[in-house]
């Protein structure tokens, strides 16, 4: 039954995405298809792991829309260009250090998976060099997210240890979240160096946190707040290939994390809620430090990126963690030049 429900959700997302892709491609509005994979076995030092936040998948579409009345209309007055709309499906997976032990491993990560759809808009003001993002997330945490099936499949594919503790994963709960993000250029020089300030707030049933950070980029033809550059890639076909090197320190203040603590509405005084292992409120680290660095190569039609993420420990009993991210982008549409504006 669980597999059937999730298959229906995934099929619905796929059909909707294909229909949107066809419509916007015909109107010349579709910009990018973006596939990103998180994997903690990917490590620049060659010391991969298979625990904590162990894997993630993000499939996204970006396309332009007209300025019209909708849930995000209040942001239009802050920007001077057509908003970019995005639709994505994302899966997150957590496991403990030893996945050969049946059941939960105490003082370690609970088995947990999340599957959710993001719908949002990006509003860019090229004159003031700022971008505002607004995102609604809907989905599930628990068996419906199919973390068990996905991890088991890939471990069989590479002939690796089979996880034994998914029967103890966090139960099904809803994800309903809203995220507001703000990006502002702090300093740039000759389209070769950029320093950008970052801030966002995430609130809802699953994740409650706020983040501040910096993003440093260096490369060729840099123009992060142009009308043509979205998600770090130009939507038009650049004349030459380009490399971009980036670094991003950040600090996150954590209010609640349902992937560690379970349902927001369950009362808890220990590590067990309804016979399910969770992390106690007092063990959660409220301040998480993170750092990421990576490289992107972009051509006329596509782009490839690798980013290494590092973060401090999420709760008292565990260690800091690292994981890699591989991104693949295909440019489907065109949104004008890097210096022009869409009115």
């Amino acid at each position: 039954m669980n597999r059937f429900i999730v298959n229906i959700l995934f099929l619905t997302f796929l059909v909707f995405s294909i229909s949107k892709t066809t419509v916007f491609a015909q109107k010349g509005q579709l910009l990018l298809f973006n596939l990103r994979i998180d994997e903690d076995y990917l490590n620049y030092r060659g010391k991969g792991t298979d625990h904590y936040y162990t894997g993630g998948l993000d499939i996204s579409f970006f396309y332009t829309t007209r300025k019209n009345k909708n849930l995000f209309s209040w942001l239009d007055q802050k920007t001077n260009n057509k908003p970019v709309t995005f639709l994505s499906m994302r899966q997150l997976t957590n496991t403990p250090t030893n996945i050969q032990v049946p059941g939960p491993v105490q003082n370690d990560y609970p088995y947990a998976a999340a599957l959710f759809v993001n719908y949002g808009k990006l509003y860019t003001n090229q004159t003031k060099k700022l971008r505002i993002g607004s995102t609604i997330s809907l989905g599930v945490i628990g068996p419906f997210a199919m973390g068990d099936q996905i991890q088991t499949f890939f471990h069989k594919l590479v002939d690796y240890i089979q996880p034994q503790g998914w029967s103890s994963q966090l139960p099904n709960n809803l994800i309903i979240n809203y995220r507001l993000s703000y990006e502002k250029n702090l300093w740039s020089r000759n389209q070769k160096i950029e320093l950008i300030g970052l801030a966002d707030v995430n609130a809802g049933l699953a994740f409650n946190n706020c983040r501040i950070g910096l993003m440093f980029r260096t490369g060729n033809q840099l123009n992060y707040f142009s009308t043509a550059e979205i998600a770090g890639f130009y939507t038009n076909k650049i004349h030459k290939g380009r490399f971009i090197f980036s670094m991003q320190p950040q600090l996150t203040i954590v209010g609640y994390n349902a992937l560690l603590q379970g349902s927001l509405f369950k009362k808890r005084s220990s590590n067990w809620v309804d016979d399910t292992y969770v992390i106690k409120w007092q063990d959660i680290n409220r301040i998480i430090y993170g750092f990421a660095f990576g490289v992107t190569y972009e051509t006329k039609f596509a782009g490839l990126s690798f980013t290494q993420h590092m973060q401090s420990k999420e709760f008292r009993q565990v260690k800091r963690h690292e994981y890699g991210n591989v991104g693949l982008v295909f440019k489907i549409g065109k949104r004008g030049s890097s210096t022009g504006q869409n009115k």
Side-chain angles (χ1 to χ4, degrees):
M1 182 65 177
N2 294 354
R3 184 187 296 270
F4 174 76
I5 292 175
V6 175
N7 285 342
I8 291 297
L9 290 174
F10 182 78
L11 184 61
T12 301
F13 172 81
L14 189 63
V15 170
F16 180 75
S17 299
I18 292 173
S19 64
K20 284 286 187 181
T21 300
T22 303
V23 170
F24 289 119
Q26 291 173 347
K27 293 182 178 181
Q29 294 177 308
L30 187 66
L31 304 178
L32 299 174
F33 167 76
N34 192 359
L35 172 65
R36 293 186 178 273
I37 298 173
D38 293 333
E39 174 55 59
D40 64 338
Y41 198 76
L42 297 176
N43 189 295
Y44 75 102
R45 293 183 288 109
K47 296 182 179 180
T49 60
D50 190 34
H51 60 240
Y52 300 176
Y53 173 54
T54 187
L57 175 67
D58 192 311
I59 303 171
S60 304
F61 296 90
F62 294 84
Y63 52 91
T64 55
T65 52
R66 297 178 180 177
K67 286 188 175 184
N68 49 31
K69 291 185 178 181
N70 55 59
L71 191 61
F72 306 102
S73 297
W74 62 278
L75 290 172
D76 279 345
Q77 60 185 338
K78 304 292 183 182
T79 58
N80 59 356
N81 300 307
K82 290 181 181 179
V84 170
T85 300
F86 61 90
L87 177 68
S88 71
M89 173 174 278
R90 191 173 186 191
Q91 186 185 54
L92 310 173
T93 305
N94 286 351
T95 62
T97 305
N98 188 350
I99 61 173
Q100 293 181 280
V101 177
V105 179
Q106 295 196 49
N107 298 319
D108 208 327
Y109 276 69
Y111 281 90
L115 182 66
F116 52 97
V117 172
N118 295 315
Y119 174 78
K121 291 181 180 289
L122 299 173
Y123 297 85
T124 300
N125 188 314
Q126 184 172 335
T127 305
K128 296 181 179 180
K129 293 186 177 181
L130 65 84
R131 179 170 294 149
I132 300 172
S134 185
T135 309
I136 292 176
S137 301
L138 299 173
V140 292
I141 290 175
F144 285 178
M146 290 186 69
D148 179 6
Q149 292 85 349
I150 296 297
Q151 187 182 44
T152 299
F153 170 78
F154 280 106
H155 279 212
K156 286 182 179 179
L157 193 65
V158 297
D159 194 24
Y160 192 64
I161 300 168
Q162 292 300 304
Q164 301 298 319
W166 275 104
S167 60
S168 65
Q169 69 177 299
L170 298 184
N172 290 312
N173 283 295
L174 279 177
I175 295 175
I176 303 176
N177 260 73
Y178 177 74
R179 179 173 177 263
L180 182 66
S181 64
Y182 181 85
E183 300 171 304
K184 180 72 172 71
N185 181 76
L186 302 179
W187 180 77
S188 58
R189 186 175 179 85
N190 299 329
Q191 290 191 325
K192 293 184 180 298
I193 301 176
E194 293 179 325
L195 181 63
I196 299 164
L198 311 170
D200 63 56
V201 177
N202 202 357
L205 299 183
F207 309 107
N208 290 277
N209 55 62
C210 59
R211 179 188 63 150
I212 57 173
L214 295 170
M215 178 167 57
F216 174 81
R217 303 203 312 163
T218 181
N220 294 320
Q221 305 177 60
L222 296 182
N223 201 347
Y224 189 78
F225 296 99
S226 74
T227 59
E229 188 169 341
I230 297 296
F233 293 89
Y234 273 116
T235 55
N236 57 350
K237 295 176 173 59
I238 57 177
H239 298 297
K240 297 179 180 180
R242 66 170 182 168
F243 279 99
I244 300 173
F245 300 91
S246 63
M247 294 187 296
Q248 185 174 321
Q250 65 181 38
L251 182 150
T252 304
I253 300 174
V254 179
Y256 199 86
N257 185 345
L259 275 175
L260 300 177
Q261 299 174 263
S263 172
L264 183 65
F265 302 108
K266 293 285 186 178
K267 294 183 179 180
R268 57 185 60 77
S269 57
S270 68
N271 288 108
W272 296 91
V273 177
D274 296 337
D275 297 323
T276 301
Y277 171 70
V278 298
I279 305 303
K280 291 188 294 186
W281 174 273
Q282 56 267 38
D283 288 337
I284 297 291
N285 287 332
R286 298 301 164 190
I287 298 179
I288 307 295
Y289 302 98
F291 183 77
F293 63 92
V295 59
T296 298
Y297 180 70
E298 182 179 4
T299 69
K300 291 183 178 181
F301 306 103
L304 181 66
S305 66
F306 176 78
T307 306
Q308 185 71 37
H309 294 265
M310 296 170 279
Q311 69 174 36
S312 61
K313 56 185 184 179
E314 291 192 279
F315 56 96
R316 184 171 56 85
Q317 295 89 343
V318 296
K319 301 177 181 179
R320 68 180 185 87
H321 189 47
E322 299 181 10
Y323 63 92
N325 173 279
V326 176
L328 181 63
V329 164
F330 293 100
K331 303 176 185 181
I332 305 173
K334 182 178 180 181
R335 201 194 177 185
S337 68
S338 61
T339 58
Q341 291 186 4
N342 291 329
K343 299 297 185 181

